[in-house]
Amino acid sequence: MTWSEMQPLLSQAGTETLVMVGWSTLIAVAAGLPIGVLLVLTDRGGLLQNTVVNKVIGQIVNIGRSMPFIILMVALMNFTRWITGTTIGSEAAIVPLAIGGIPFFARLVETAVREVDQGLVEAVQAMGGNTWTIVRKVLVPEALPSLIASTTTTVIALIGYSAMAGTVGGGGLGDLAVRYGYQRFETGLMWITVAVLAVAIAVIQFAGDWAARSLHRRGARSGPAPALRLLKAKEPAAADISKVA
């Protein structure tokens, strides 16, 4: 197979992989972020401590993470058909990719949020901040570099899942490698596909690492966290009032 014959195949398969991974990442992040934060809030000593809720959500997340992706795809075939009207192609693959990515990202979010300094949380609580304020102003902003790194890890994992989806007609670069590289013995095309995936993963990892480091350095240069800056700004005013009294 010549390069002129490979190029349109690679272009179409690459576009399919981009669509699959892009949409599944958006869904996984949108659903996994609140789940991960909720796991921290409802844990022992959390702001919304609730052992029953925490255990139930934790078990659901554990089941989702422990299930191999190929089995998950088969198990969700009826649900995928109900959502998309088909079980093959890149659109159908988005459903199991997103569902498989949600628990994966949720656990990463939980780890990232747990690393936030509890002193900041206590400072906002002392200022009368409620749970939503703490989540919005402290937990998510302070964990943002780690959340960016977690998103990068999730994207790379979903690229691997999407390649696996190609073995059952999911489309994308994985499907191209199976159909041409394995079934038609086009070894050259298969290795080019592998190289494209390797380069894409390297670029995504570099971009994610750069973004996480940039946010971390920016946070370090900006001085105290916003909550502490606000607290310090209020202290002089409180002192002035006491003097007047």
Side-chain angles (χ1 to χ4, degrees):
M1 181 177 289
T2 63
W3 172 249
S4 60
E5 295 173 324
M6 294 181 186
Q7 190 172 7
L9 295 173
L10 289 169
S11 178
Q12 179 181 354
T15 302
E16 291 175 351
T17 296
L18 181 63
V19 170
M20 286 190 294
V21 174
W23 279 107
S24 58
T25 299
L26 288 175
I27 297 171
V29 170
L33 179 60
I35 292 174
V37 173
L38 190 60
L39 283 170
V40 176
L41 295 178
T42 58
D43 199 6
R44 184 179 302 175
L47 298 174
L48 301 175
Q49 179 175 329
N50 190 317
T51 303
V52 175
V53 172
N54 185 267
K55 294 297 182 183
V56 170
I57 297 176
Q59 287 301 319
I60 294 174
V61 170
N62 289 339
I63 292 172
R65 289 185 62 199
S66 63
M67 188 174 296
F69 181 71
I70 193 71
I71 297 177
L72 181 66
M73 286 193 66
V74 175
L76 292 175
M77 277 188 174
N78 290 333
F79 181 70
T80 301
R81 184 181 292 110
W82 179 68
I83 294 293
T84 65
T86 182
T87 58
I88 59 174
S90 57
E91 292 183 0
I94 293 174
V95 176
L97 281 172
I99 293 177
I102 289 172
F104 183 86
F105 185 70
R107 281 301 185 191
L108 295 177
V109 171
E110 180 188 10
T111 302
V113 173
R114 287 189 189 279
E115 294 175 353
V116 175
D117 186 2
Q118 288 302 307
L120 301 178
V121 176
E122 294 172 359
V124 177
Q125 284 180 311
M127 294 159 52
N130 57 23
T131 301
W132 171 243
T133 300
I134 292 172
V135 171
R136 188 167 54 93
K137 296 292 187 179
V138 178
L139 295 181
V140 173
E142 291 296 320
L144 192 55
S146 295
L147 292 176
I148 295 295
S150 300
T151 303
T152 303
T153 302
T154 302
V155 171
I156 293 174
L158 289 175
I159 290 176
Y161 290 168
S162 70
M164 196 182 305
T167 61
V168 290
L173 292 170
D175 180 57
L176 181 67
V178 170
R179 284 191 296 113
Y180 285 87
Y182 178 73
Q183 296 177 353
R184 303 186 185 184
F185 303 102
E186 294 288 348
T187 307
L189 180 58
M190 182 182 68
W191 284 113
I192 291 175
T193 303
V194 171
V196 170
L197 287 171
V199 170
I201 289 173
V203 170
I204 292 170
Q205 187 67 63
F206 174 80
D209 291 345
W210 177 83
R213 286 195 299 267
S214 298
L215 287 172
H216 183 74
R217 288 196 297 267
R218 185 179 302 173
R221 288 195 301 266
S222 64
L228 292 184
R229 290 202 300 269
L230 181 59
L231 182 62
K232 290 179 179 179
K234 287 189 174 183
E235 285 177 349
D240 292 340
I241 293 174
S242 64
K243 288 179 181 180
V244 173

